[in-house]
């Protein structure tokens, strides 16, 4: 009967509906059709009912919105597999501790001898979940609840592997939404910070002392971002802000003094103009009186008045000229002082903790960096290496090629060192031709290898002075920080090792 044409089965179904006096509903038709054909027809996709459910599902969180979009796509394409996946997702979002615990207990009760997760692996997973949460913030309360529930279950005796797999799957599914949202928030915040810093630079076009701060902040907000970089920029900006505040205050004071001088200058000019006007009025009156006089006796007093007014005018002119000359001199001095303070502000902004010649850290920057790295190494139990290197035959180079060439050689060494160093390594100019390299997370033998690698790189990148190629070498002492050692003691040991390298023939690396 299963081989009969569908059209014949359909006609027979209609006849049976009439013969049995059944209402021609879809349910009756399907039942008779299956009875006559001897098989079952696939149930129609309940699109109408599912769209009704779709209208009442929540869409407030990013996870809910994504699941709602998938639900709508599954209904539109009549995709049962996608619909099943969406239902599992919603179940994960709504998984309650009570239900999970019940499921876990039921699984243990119903399946004796079920494989349990090894204790060491369960503890590792629990620690992994705990260390992941701080990076997610506090906005998503649900994922924190799921994490606490998962950690507690992992630390129970012999947690069933199947239940852990289910709970971990639900947690990782929710975690994917949370991490995606945090990444988007972080990227957006960095964009906003860059906009703020760029706006500061634009608004401070006439106040160039702010440019150093803006550039440092922009560099700090450029990925990859590390706590070490942020700490360094924070320390640098604190020092810059203090020094710039002092210099900026002196600059404002000089500007106010210059304004007062200009006001005095204008006041003197006004007095000269007034005195000149009075003199001209006196001369005109005297001329009128002389024109009207008929005797010498009448003219004499007028001439006396005119001569006195002229003498007074000359005296006032000399005094005014002297005062104006003094004001001009003082004004020029104030202008020079303002320019000097502006240059000082620019230098402070760029050189707070850095050597102006090489761009490496200066002694103050080195002290702060060593304090920070020593604290970090002891907190994490990580090795920290320190290398003190001194250029070989630097005095002879200065004497033969000049001090400008010596400075250029120091810059060359700093540039090559930065090219060879890792991002976390720090370079500082310790003094004269001495440099210090801080190598975090580095054991002694690796620190020695890093210095030898720098020596090889210097031998391939010759220092050019005019047409002459100069080979720059250095002697270095390398130490690994000891448990009870401070920065001064470590530098002393490195200095002693460097001295041994010098005595051994220079261009050597000695470990202490």
């Amino acid at each position: 009967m299963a081989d009969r044409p569908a059209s014949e089965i359909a006609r027979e179904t209609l006849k049976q509906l009439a013969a049995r006096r059944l209402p021609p509903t879809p349910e009756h038709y399907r039942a008779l059709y299956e009875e006559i054909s001897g098989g079952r027809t696939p149930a129609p996709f309940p699109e109408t009912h599912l769209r009704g459910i779709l209208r009442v599902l929540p869409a407030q969180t990013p996870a809910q919105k994504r699941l709602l979009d998938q639900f709508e796509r599954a209904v539109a394409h009549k995709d049962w597999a996608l619909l099943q996946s969406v239902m599992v997702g919603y179940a994960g979002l709504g998984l309650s501790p009570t239900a999970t615990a019940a499921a876990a207990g039921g699984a243990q009760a119903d399946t004796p001898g079920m494989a349990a997760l090894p204790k060491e692996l369960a503890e590792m997973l629990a620690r992994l979940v705990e260390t992941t949460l701080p990076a997610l913030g506090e906005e998503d309360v649900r994922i924190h609840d799921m994490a606490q529930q998962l950690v507690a279950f992992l630390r129970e005796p012999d947690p069933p592997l199947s239940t852990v797999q289910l709970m971990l799957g639900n947690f990782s599914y929710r975690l994917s939404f949370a991490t995606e949202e945090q990444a988007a928030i972080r990227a957006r915040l960095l964009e906003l910070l860059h906009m703020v810093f760029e706006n500061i630079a634009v608004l401070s076009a006439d106040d160039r002392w702010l440019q150093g701060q803006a550039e440092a902040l922009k560099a700090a907000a450029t990925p990859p971002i590390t706590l070490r970089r942020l700490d360094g920029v924070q320390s640098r900006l604190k020092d810059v802000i203090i020094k710039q505040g002092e210099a900026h205050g002196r600059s404002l004071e000089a500007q106010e003094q210059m304004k007062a001088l200009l006001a005095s200058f204008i006041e003197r000019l006004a007095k000269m103009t007034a005195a000149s006007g009075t003199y001209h009025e006196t001369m005109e009156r005297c001329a009128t009186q002389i024109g009207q006089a008929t005797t010498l006796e009448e003219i004499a007093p007028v001439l006396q008045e005119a001569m006195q007014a002229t003498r007074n005018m000359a005296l006032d002119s000399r005094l005014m000229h002297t005062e104006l000359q003094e004001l001009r001199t003082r004004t020029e001095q104030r202008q020079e002082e303002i320019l000097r303070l502006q240059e000082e502000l620019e230098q402070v902004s760029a050189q707070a903790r850095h050597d102006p010649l090489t761009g490496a850290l200066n002694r103050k920057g080195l002290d702060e960096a060593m304090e920070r790295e020593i604290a970090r190494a002891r907190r994490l139990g990580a090795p920290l290496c320190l290398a003190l290197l001194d250029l070989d035959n630097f005095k002879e180079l200065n004497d033969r090629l000049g001090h400008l060439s010596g400075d250029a050689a120091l810059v060359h060494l700093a540039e090559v060192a930065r090219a060879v160093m890792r991002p976390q390594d720090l370079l500082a100019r310790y003094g004269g031709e001495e440099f210090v390299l801080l190598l975090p997370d580095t054991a002694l033998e690796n620190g020695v290898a890093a210095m030898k690698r720098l020596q090889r790189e210097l031998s391939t990148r010759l220092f050019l002075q005019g047409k002459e190629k100069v080979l720059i070498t250095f002697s270095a002492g390398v130490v690994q920080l000891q448990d009870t050692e401070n920065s001064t003691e470590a530098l002393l040991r490195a200095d002693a090792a460097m001295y041994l390298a010098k005595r051994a023939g220079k261009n050597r690396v000695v470990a202490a």
Side-chain angles (χ1 to χ4, degrees):
M1 184 174 296
D3 296 334
R4 295 172 58 185
S7 57
E8 183 179 338
I9 298 173
R11 285 195 296 272
E12 182 64 25
T13 302
L14 292 174
K15 290 180 181 179
Q16 290 297 324
L17 281 173
R20 300 182 187 185
R21 300 181 180 275
L22 295 173
T25 63
E27 292 78 10
H28 290 158
Y29 181 86
R30 185 182 304 107
L32 287 175
Y33 190 95
E34 292 174 353
E35 178 184 331
I36 295 170
S37 64
R40 296 185 60 83
T41 59
F45 192 82
E47 182 175 356
T48 303
H49 299 291
L50 290 174
R51 290 197 178 277
I53 296 173
L54 183 65
R55 286 193 293 271
V56 298
L57 286 174
Q60 298 177 354
T61 66
Q64 291 174 345
K65 291 178 181 178
R66 175 177 294 186
L67 287 172
L68 194 66
D69 291 341
Q70 294 178 354
F71 193 109
E72 187 173 8
R73 190 161 60 251
V75 173
H77 294 85
K78 297 181 174 58
D79 189 339
W80 283 107
L82 180 57
L83 189 62
Q84 179 181 355
S85 175
V86 172
M87 291 297 102
V88 171
Y90 272 111
L93 291 180
L95 193 63
S96 66
T98 305
T100 305
Q108 286 178 307
D110 296 341
T111 314
M114 177 182 292
L117 193 67
K119 183 178 180 180
E120 294 79 5
L121 180 57
E123 181 59 27
M124 290 175 63
L125 286 173
R127 287 201 300 267
L128 177 63
V129 173
E130 288 176 334
T131 54
T132 299
L133 289 179
L136 301 179
E138 302 293 334
E139 294 82 6
D140 193 343
V141 179
R142 179 66 193 136
I143 196 168
H144 285 270
D145 293 341
M146 294 177 69
Q148 292 174 2
Q149 171 195 348
L150 178 57
V151 169
F153 186 74
L154 286 168
R155 286 175 174 159
E156 289 183 0
D158 300 324
L161 184 59
S162 60
T163 307
V164 170
Q165 184 178 1
L166 173 63
M167 296 176 68
L168 194 59
N170 292 330
F171 175 74
S172 61
Y173 186 78
R174 183 64 178 256
L175 183 64
S176 65
F177 294 110
T179 53
E180 181 180 344
E181 185 175 5
Q182 288 296 320
I185 291 173
R186 180 173 176 270
R188 187 62 55 83
L189 284 175
L190 287 178
E191 290 176 5
L192 292 175
L193 283 174
H194 270 282
M195 290 174 63
V196 171
F197 301 151
E198 288 173 0
N199 192 47
I200 289 174
V202 171
L203 293 178
S204 62
D206 296 331
D207 293 327
R208 290 179 293 173
W209 60 277
L210 274 176
Q211 297 296 321
Q213 290 188 28
E215 291 301 323
L217 290 171
K218 286 169 66 176
T222 302
I225 296 176
T226 63
L227 285 176
R228 182 180 285 107
R229 287 179 60 191
L230 291 178
D231 288 342
V233 172
Q234 182 184 32
S235 299
R236 179 182 177 184
L237 287 181
K238 283 181 180 178
D239 187 51
V240 167
I241 289 169
I242 293 172
K243 291 186 177 181
Q244 287 179 341
E246 296 172 355
H248 195 235
R250 295 197 302 271
S251 178
L252 292 177
E253 182 181 351
Q255 289 178 10
E256 291 300 323
Q257 291 175 354
M258 188 170 179
K259 289 179 184 178
L261 289 173
L262 291 174
S264 299
F265 190 87
I266 294 172
E267 183 181 355
R268 294 293 187 276
L269 289 176
K271 288 182 178 179
M272 285 186 66
T273 303
S276 177
T278 303
Y279 174 74
H280 286 297
E281 290 176 0
T282 301
M283 291 297 103
E284 289 176 1
R285 187 177 70 256
C286 289
T288 302
Q289 290 177 355
I290 290 173
Q292 295 174 351
T294 57
T295 65
L296 288 175
E297 288 76 8
E298 293 177 347
I299 294 175
V302 176
L303 289 175
Q304 184 66 30
E305 181 183 0
M307 290 174 63
Q308 185 63 40
T310 302
R311 283 196 295 269
N312 292 339
M313 182 62 185
L315 181 60
D316 288 343
S317 295
R318 285 196 299 271
L319 292 174
M320 291 292 182
H321 181 268
T322 302
E323 290 184 1
L324 290 175
Q325 189 64 36
E326 291 177 355
L327 284 172
R328 177 182 177 183
T329 303
R330 290 164 61 189
T331 301
E332 289 175 350
Q333 291 174 348
R334 292 293 179 269
Q335 181 65 27
E336 291 175 358
E337 184 178 359
I338 289 173
L339 292 175
R340 180 181 59 79
L341 288 171
Q342 288 178 345
E343 291 176 357
E344 181 182 338
L345 285 169
E346 293 173 13
Q347 292 174 356
V348 165
S349 178
Q351 302 170 7
R353 280 172 172 78
H354 289 73
D355 173 53
L357 176 64
T358 62
L361 293 173
N362 58 21
R363 290 291 291 270
K364 183 174 183 179
L366 173 63
D367 290 342
E368 293 181 357
M370 289 185 66
E371 182 180 349
R372 184 174 63 250
E373 291 301 331
I374 289 174
R376 175 184 176 274
R378 286 178 177 157
R379 184 175 65 252
L380 300 178
L384 172 65
C385 259
L386 181 150
L388 177 62
L389 57 92
D390 184 276
L391 265 69
D392 296 326
N393 307 316
F394 186 70
K395 184 178 182 303
E396 289 81 353
L397 187 148
N398 264 337
D399 293 341
R400 185 167 62 86
L401 299 177
H403 289 287
L404 291 179
S405 297
D407 289 347
L410 295 175
V411 173
H412 176 74
L413 172 63
E415 290 175 348
V416 175
R418 277 191 286 266
V420 175
M421 289 162 51
R422 302 169 302 176
Q424 64 267 35
D425 298 335
L426 296 170
L427 175 69
R429 188 178 179 188
Y430 192 59
E433 64 273 21
E434 290 184 330
F435 290 84
V436 170
L437 268 170
L438 276 180
L439 308 172
D441 305 313
T442 304
L444 182 60
E445 58 273 17
N446 294 330
V448 172
M451 290 301 97
K452 291 182 177 179
R453 186 166 57 251
L454 176 56
Q455 286 181 328
R456 290 194 299 271
E457 195 68 23
L458 277 171
S459 66
T460 61
R461 301 189 189 189
L462 296 178
F463 169 57
L464 297 177
Q465 185 57 32
K467 295 183 179 180
E468 183 178 356
K469 295 181 179 179
V470 182
L471 174 63
I472 295 178
T473 64
F474 64 83
S475 302
V478 184
V479 299
Q480 181 176 337
L481 185 75
Q482 297 176 354
D483 292 340
T484 59
E485 193 173 36
N486 59 33
S487 59
T488 302
E489 293 166 342
L491 281 168
L492 287 174
R493 285 202 301 126
D495 184 71
M498 185 267 293
Y499 180 71
L500 291 176
K502 289 280 189 185
R503 293 193 61 184
K506 300 181 181 180
N507 196 22
R508 300 282 196 279
V509 177
V510 174

